[in-house]
Amino acid sequence: MANVTATHPRRPWAAPAASDPVEATLRLPGSKSLTARALVLSAVADAPGTLRHPLRARDTELMAGGLRAMGAQVSIVDNERWLVRPDTLRGPAHVDVGLSGTVMRFVPPVAGLAEGTVTFDGDPQARVRPLGPLVEALRSLGVRIDAAAGGGLPLTVRGTGRVTGGEVTIDASASSQFVSGLLLSAARFERGVVVRHEGPPVPSAPHLRMTVQMLRAAGAVVDDSVPDVWVVEPGRLAGREWEIEPDLSGAVPFFAAALVTGGSVTLPDWPRDSLQPVDTLRSLLERMGGKVTIGPDGLTVRGTGVLHGLDADLSEVSELTPVLAALAALADSPSRLFGVAHIRGHETDRLAALARELTAVGAEVTEAPDGLEIRPRPLRGGTFGTYADHRMAHAAAVIGLAVPGITVDDVACTSKTMPEFPALWSTMVSGGSGHR
């Protein structure tokens, strides 16, 4: 399985091994998922909006750039505050999606509202990421859209300044982002939207709940009371201030370090009413031997000196799979991670990539259609391939804590969601604290 050519200079990195338990308080960047949704909702609102503590990384800068290309004014005042002033959406415009699922799935519905032609393309691997169900759904809602063979990138949306909307049935089993993309712009559709999912279960359900909660916070009328049916009424969206939580998926490798080393990692300023799946993460880490608390100091994960294997359905938190697989390779008993067939269509085929790279450093891994079985074995150093996938780099860093000689073949891919990752990680392992 060859690495996909990335758009950044490749940067090998020696993952630091931990000689002592890590003890760190880390101020991490904002949530990618919340930042992306807040940008789209602000761009289609009736008044300006503000994002506080957003994530500034490749994915979110591409999202801002795509919206900006269509006429929305996105001003980065500083890293802690972005201003979005909605304006008439228009083409011609081009949107570079990079390797971002959120950009390639959230922005085409916005482009349907633009007057003029909007084209989309991205990194080579982006052209094989699933997109067809969203394209077909947009066509049935009245959007003129041309796609490559197979329904993917490159795309051309021929906007008329309006989208009829209405009812649509979609198979969103490959990505919850198909549904979220439709819902985020739907209040601006003339008839709103009724989205019905038919097919295997939709993965990453917490992200759909996040979409619905943020739509309601912006003033949309949303009904999700019927399973697999989402209704957004046509109406106005309010411009508002969005407080972006720290990124939970980005925090997981740091929390994993506490388990691996028997240390403690705290993420301060964590909201008690989080929009992210904190309870699910707490359960998983505690089953593996960690202790998770939320208090005045923030969200803290402590290692207990043991690291157990895990039998878990990760369908709701599939982004955690690479780091949990790395923990499983270091555990004291076998693990079975399942329910994540859809991550074969993420930045890379994550299941195949994890099986290959964990096996290369000595683990015994069996690849299943929807997951992995991992039997811990003595691990050895070596080069860990990332496949232009930030989560693979995170997994390699976790392995490197306990296995000297792990080299990440391209740590620059972490710029997708956390450009600060290598520096934050090295500071944590060496005994310092990171800063937002």
Side-chain angles (χ1 to χ4, degrees):
M1 189 177 197
N3 264 321
V4 175
T5 301
T7 59
H8 53 256
R10 294 176 61 81
R11 181 181 159 200
W13 181 66
S19 56
D20 298 297
V22 300
E23 300 289 342
T25 297
L26 297 164
R27 294 189 176 274
L28 298 182
S31 161
K32 178 190 78 169
S33 299
L34 291 168
T35 301
R37 286 162 174 77
L39 282 170
V40 172
L41 289 170
S42 298
V44 298
D46 287 343
T50 304
L51 281 66
R52 293 201 175 273
H53 312 304
L55 171 66
R56 185 169 188 177
R58 187 183 185 221
D59 276 16
T60 54
E61 288 184 333
L62 288 170
M63 178 73 79
L67 297 170
R68 202 181 279 125
M70 290 185 288
Q73 301 175 48
V74 183
S75 304
I76 299 176
V77 178
D78 53 47
N79 283 343
E80 300 300 311
R81 186 164 61 103
W82 294 7
L83 301 180
V84 183
R85 294 180 178 86
D87 203 341
T88 301
L89 300 170
R90 62 177 64 84
H94 177 71
V95 177
D96 177 6
V97 310
L99 193 47
S100 171
T102 51
V103 179
M104 68 191 290
R105 293 162 185 155
F106 290 4
V107 182
V110 180
L113 295 165
E115 297 178 359
T117 298
V118 183
T119 58
F120 294 79
D121 205 358
D123 296 357
Q125 184 68 8
R127 291 189 172 192
V128 300
R129 296 196 71 176
L131 193 58
L134 176 66
V135 170
E136 291 303 319
L138 288 172
R139 284 175 178 152
S140 70
L141 295 171
V143 177
R144 294 174 56 203
I145 182 168
D146 300 324
L153 294 170
L155 295 180
T156 299
V157 176
R158 306 183 190 282
T160 61
R162 55 181 287 275
V163 175
T164 303
E167 299 190 12
V168 64
T169 299
I170 187 172
D171 179 354
S173 58
S175 177
S176 65
Q177 292 173 351
F178 296 156
V179 177
S180 287
L182 293 171
L183 300 183
L184 287 167
S185 297
R188 289 282 307 277
F189 298 171
E190 292 176 348
R191 294 167 51 197
V193 79
V194 179
V195 180
R196 289 185 172 83
H197 163 70
E198 290 186 359
V202 181
S204 304
H207 284 87
L208 280 173
R209 290 193 289 272
M210 178 190 295
T211 297
V212 168
Q213 288 174 281
M214 292 183 72
L215 274 164
R216 287 175 176 152
V221 177
V222 187
D223 183 354
D224 63 345
S225 60
V226 178
D228 290 334
V229 179
W230 299 266
V231 181
V232 179
E233 300 292 341
R236 300 161 66 94
L237 293 180
R240 53 159 291 164
E241 180 172 290
W242 299 98
E243 184 73 25
I244 307 299
E245 302 172 11
D247 191 90
L248 189 66
S249 296
V252 170
F254 297 93
F255 292 153
L259 271 66
V260 171
T261 67
S264 174
V265 173
T266 296
L267 189 63
D269 304 323
W270 191 264
R272 287 189 173 273
D273 296 322
S274 174
L275 292 175
Q276 300 175 84
V278 178
D279 289 340
T280 302
L281 174 64
R282 180 208 299 261
S283 173
L284 292 167
L285 294 183
E286 290 185 342
R287 287 165 61 189
M288 297 194 86
K291 181 176 175 59
V292 183
T293 57
I294 302 179
D297 293 334
L299 179 60
T300 299
V301 177
R302 294 181 177 85
T304 59
V306 297
L307 183 54
H308 301 310
L310 182 70
D311 191 290
D313 180 348
L314 302 181
S315 57
E316 290 203 349
V317 287
S318 60
E319 282 289 303
L320 310 187
T321 304
V323 167
L324 293 178
L327 286 174
L330 298 169
D332 61 8
S333 58
S335 294
R336 185 172 71 100
L337 310 176
F338 58 95
V340 289
H342 63 285
I343 71 173
R344 294 186 182 279
H346 280 203
E347 284 81 345
T348 187
D349 180 339
R350 283 182 173 164
L351 294 179
L354 286 165
R356 179 185 176 93
E357 300 307 318
L358 292 174
T359 298
V361 297
E364 182 181 334
V365 183
T366 301
E367 186 181 341
D370 73 336
L372 301 169
E373 294 183 12
I374 301 170
R375 296 170 185 81
R377 296 288 185 266
L379 301 185
R380 56 183 176 269
T383 298
F384 201 100
T386 58
Y387 307 82
D389 186 340
H390 56 145
R391 305 297 182 203
M392 291 294 293
H394 296 165
V398 171
I399 294 288
L401 291 168
V403 182
I406 294 292
T407 296
V408 181
D409 77 339
D410 180 24
V411 78
C413 67
T414 59
S415 65
K416 185 177 193 295
T417 52
M418 193 185 296
E420 309 95 325
F421 177 80
L424 282 171
W425 190 263
S426 297
T427 300
M428 175 190 70
V429 176
S430 66
S433 292
H435 300 279
R436 183 184 251 165

